[in-house]
Amino acid sequence: MGLLAALTDPDIGKHLLREEGEVIVDEVRHHWVAFIVPGLVLLAALALLVAVPFIPLDWGWFPLLLALGVGVYGGYRALGVHMDRFVITNMRVFRVHGVFSQQLATMPLTRILDITVKKPLIGRILGYGHFVFESAAQAQGLRDIRTVARPDERDMAIQRVVQRSGVRGRPQVN
């Protein structure tokens, strides 16, 4: 694995409990909408670069330096969105995020009490939504998962995994 891949891939596999039989059901990346703000920041950096020839020679370094700073910031934001992953396994849900230092928040299926899927109007049109997890714990590291593509499918995947795991009892038929 190359240096670039090591810096831009969250390597979900290393977080799995393979010896316990844990397998990935779904690895959720952010919807493309999450890249709009970083993309606009990168466009602003490009606009600053285009402005360099129109600036007096004595001040030409300023927009160049500013473009470099804005471009690095926009790239960092885009990489942050790319590195943020939400994973559904047969045993738990977890989120890995962070560019230079990674954070891992995990929740066993037994702790999931409720999942709320929020779909704002623009999200309904473009096909994304947000998850809000309620668990048995008061404080938790995994609560809001934003800009999830195809949220209804992902919610159903979680519900199926929870049901198959036997965490929630099968409904009684009288």
Side-chain angles (χ1 to χ4, degrees):
M1 179 149 99
L3 179 62
L4 184 62
L7 293 175
T8 61
D9 182 31
D11 192 17
I12 299 303
K14 72 180 179 186
H15 300 290
L16 294 178
L17 304 170
R18 294 193 191 279
E19 60 279 353
E20 303 296 325
E22 184 175 35
V23 294
I24 295 174
V25 174
D26 195 6
E27 181 179 340
V28 181
R29 292 177 165 88
H30 282 282
H31 189 271
W32 62 264
V33 166
F35 288 95
I36 289 177
V37 170
L40 290 173
V41 171
L42 288 169
L43 275 175
L46 184 62
L48 286 167
L49 281 177
V50 169
V52 168
F54 303 104
I55 302 294
L57 195 54
D58 293 344
W59 288 96
W61 60 270
F62 183 72
L64 196 60
L65 194 60
L66 194 58
L68 178 66
V70 170
V72 167
Y73 175 71
Y76 177 78
R77 292 276 310 261
L79 189 57
V81 171
H82 172 73
M83 297 280 289
D84 190 355
R85 305 286 170 86
F86 173 65
V87 180
I88 305 163
T89 74
N90 59 329
M91 301 169 80
R92 62 190 171 139
V93 294
F94 65 90
R95 178 182 179 207
V96 177
H97 61 102
V99 175
F100 295 118
S101 60
Q102 280 193 341
Q103 295 178 11
L104 174 70
T106 198
M107 184 184 305
L109 296 176
T110 56
R111 301 278 296 270
I112 298 174
L113 296 179
D114 185 41
I115 303 169
T116 302
V117 180
K118 295 182 179 182
K119 292 184 284 186
L121 177 61
I122 190 74
R124 291 176 62 199
I125 293 168
L126 297 177
Y128 73 89
H130 314 295
F131 284 161
V132 179
F133 286 91
E134 298 294 332
S135 81
Q138 293 295 329
Q140 57 187 355
L142 183 73
R143 179 171 163 77
D144 294 315
I145 307 296
R146 304 195 50 81
T147 59
V148 173
R150 302 185 325 272
D152 293 327
E153 291 175 34
R154 268 50 194 265
D155 179 44
M156 292 304 293
I158 295 169
Q159 299 302 332
R160 275 193 294 276
V161 170
V162 168
Q163 195 65 30
R164 287 180 188 149
S165 71
V167 173
R168 310 269 194 289
R170 301 229 187 264
Q172 296 288 329
V173 179
N174 293 329

